[in-house]
Amino acid sequence: MPVAGPRQRAPLIKWGWDVAKVSGEHRVYDIHKDYSEGRHSLHQQITPAPSTMTGSMALVLLVLLPLVRGQVPHWGPCPEPITQADFSIKQFAGRWYEIAKLPAQFEKGRCIETNFTVKADNSVRVVSSEILRGELRKIEGFGITEDPKNPAKLGITFSYVLPYTPYWILSTDYVNTAVVYSCTDILRLFHVEFAWVLSRVRAPPAGTLEKADEVFAKNSIDVTQMINTRQQGC
């Protein structure tokens, strides 16, 4: 079966999960926690009045930019892309392999995959894994449907005390591919985007990435910096 060819795009730094040795165990921390925690703290500490907003802008940006961790920011609030109509989380459940992505701080390895399991209360158990330096690493979280009127807008978190990160299904046929988008507002001054192309198989048919690009383009989402995920030697 032919596979999707490599993207002719300049590769950026491939980021990944940060691992700390805690009490003799390896624990993986999702960088989304840093974003969410930072936003929560900043909302408490930085609340400039309209009259002082202009003078405070430079200071605010200096504080906020480290939270982005190298991800390319875009000015203004997050866009509102069109999501999958009549989305079914039960049909979406199961194992998905990451084929391509916008660079993300929490992903450095290869053979990245995520398994979604729908629970009795319709929440979702989320288990992601990667191979990094020859070691299989996993992280477990959970997700919910944040907007019952738009079930394709999921929220995922890897901590019980931190906010959900948007995880929006822009397009999927459930049996082959899925196009996923996430966006985080930073005080509505700028936003940070993440995007993924997923497949039910490690080597999807030719044309998969091109079709995904069409979905992103339709929603005015810039994926020129998207990079392939290595799914060989798994």
Side-chain angles (χ1 to χ4, degrees):
M1 176 183 295
V3 299
R7 289 172 175 262
Q8 301 300 315
R9 292 169 177 165
L12 299 184
I13 298 173
K14 289 189 66 177
W15 303 328
W17 287 323
D18 294 329
V19 180
K21 192 85 170 181
V22 181
S23 301
E25 297 179 356
H26 281 95
R27 296 183 182 177
V28 184
Y29 295 91
D30 183 358
I31 204 67
H32 279 312
K33 296 179 183 178
D34 295 340
Y35 295 151
S36 301
E37 191 172 38
R39 284 187 294 142
H40 177 71
S41 175
L42 285 165
H43 275 298
Q44 291 180 327
Q45 300 176 28
I46 303 175
T47 54
S51 61
T52 62
M53 189 66 179
T54 302
S56 303
M57 185 70 70
L59 176 60
V60 171
L61 289 179
L62 285 174
V63 176
L64 289 174
L65 284 175
L67 298 177
V68 179
R69 298 291 186 92
Q71 185 75 15
V72 178
H74 301 274
W75 290 108
C78 288
E80 287 287 338
I82 300 171
T83 54
Q84 175 67 44
D86 301 318
F87 178 74
S88 169
I89 186 60
K90 292 183 179 180
Q91 288 182 265
F92 185 78
R95 191 177 307 278
W96 289 96
Y97 300 101
E98 182 184 281
I99 304 304
K101 62 173 173 287
L102 286 179
Q105 176 70 21
F106 47 92
E107 294 179 326
K108 284 182 180 176
R110 58 186 173 87
C111 303
I112 298 173
E113 60 183 73
T114 302
N115 198 341
F116 299 86
T117 304
V118 180
K119 302 169 68 174
D121 61 358
N122 285 327
S123 65
V124 183
R125 178 173 177 260
V126 183
V127 179
S128 292
S129 66
E130 68 169 1
I131 296 176
L132 183 62
R133 302 186 188 94
E135 179 183 354
L136 177 64
R137 301 183 178 184
K138 292 185 177 182
I139 184 170
E140 182 174 341
F142 56 95
I144 60 170
T145 298
E146 293 192 301
D147 182 0
K149 295 181 180 180
N150 191 344
K153 288 187 175 182
L154 303 177
I156 292 178
T157 183
F158 291 90
S159 169
Y160 287 99
V161 298
L162 293 175
Y164 291 93
T165 296
Y167 192 87
W168 294 359
I169 315 302
L170 302 188
S171 176
T172 184
D173 61 3
Y174 302 106
V175 296
N176 294 301
T177 59
V179 179
V180 181
Y181 176 73
S182 178
C183 185
T184 299
D185 270 329
I186 308 297
L187 295 181
R188 298 189 67 81
L189 297 176
F190 58 89
H191 61 274
V192 179
E193 294 178 315
F194 299 91
W196 299 270
V197 179
L198 308 179
S199 174
R200 291 294 193 184
V201 295
R202 295 189 189 275
T208 296
L209 296 179
E210 287 75 11
K211 291 180 180 178
D213 283 348
E214 292 175 2
V215 174
F216 289 126
K218 180 180 179 180
N219 288 285
S220 300
I221 297 172
D222 182 7
V223 291
T224 55
Q225 294 175 338
M226 187 169 270
I227 56 177
N228 288 351
T229 300
R230 181 183 170 191
Q231 289 290 352
Q232 293 81 32
C234 302

